[in-house]
Amino acid sequence: MPHLWLFGPAREAAGTARDEVAGGTVAEVVTAACARYGEHFSDVAATCGVWVNGDTVPLDRALCDTDEVALLPPVSGG
Amino acid sequence: MSLSTTPPGADWVAVTSRPLPVGEVLTWVARPECGAVVTFLGTVRDHSEGRTGVESVEYEAYTEYVGLRLADVVTSARSSWPGIGRLALLHRVGLLEVGEVSVVIAVSTPHRPEAFDAARFCIDELKESAPIWKHETWAGGSGWGTSGHQVGNSVRRHAARGAAVSAGSADVGGPAPGGPGS
């Protein structure tokens, strides 16, 4: 199943940096992750953007087992 | 992405947990055909929005892709300012104390206007696009950086509490009902 990578406050809220989450699309993986990790994570996730394999993709993008879905809180480098 | 030796080409992009080699970058970036070098250093500040007495900042990056995003910034800068001689974008990760250098931008060009413009462009683009997050520790606690920029497509609609699976939607970002506080 697709790999979920979490960063910053999303990683902290989930209590893990990586997981495997079932879902046929990006949107389904995000929703499933919110169900798994709970309300605080959902609140953080609502502020996030998503990449698949490093690229910005539509949320209805179909996923395969090797895809890497990354949940990205607002970035704050510099 | 090497730090111990300067890169063979005209671009130097690196993300590292080691102190950034500022002096080495300054020496490297100068070119005979370039009469201007502009350098920007970002340093860890002792305060941020609503937070005083910041003691340290820990930076975390999406290691697998942060280099590519910085390379995108370099490509955009070179497209806009073809006269750029050498260009360096270096960012540090890990735990930094107040005053330590977190980011180095250095650019050489034949004349000063494009060096200033390109350096400003590069730091602004880096801050908006690089997958890097900071976690601040201050006298009264600790927390994630509060002044962030959105990257990627927003998942707000699918992340809200009680959101239904909505396969077939094609969000392109932007606010949607059901976010925090709703």
Side-chain angles (χ1 to χ4, degrees), chain A residues 4-76:
Chain A
L4 180 65
W5 286 43
L6 302 166
F7 296 93
R11 171 180 56 73
E12 188 175 76
T16 185
R18 301 189 195 175
D19 206 346
E20 292 189 358
V21 179
T25 65
V26 176
E28 289 175 11
V29 165
V30 171
T31 303
C34 289
R36 179 176 301 180
Y37 300 125
E39 290 189 348
H40 175 53
F41 176 85
S42 299
D43 289 344
V44 174
T47 70
C48 289
V50 69
W51 286 347
V52 174
N53 306 328
D55 293 322
T56 297
V57 299
L59 296 186
D60 63 353
R61 153 84 142 73
L63 298 172
C64 66
D65 282 355
T66 57
D67 280 332
E68 187 175 302
V69 178
L71 212 49
L72 310 165
V75 297
S76 52

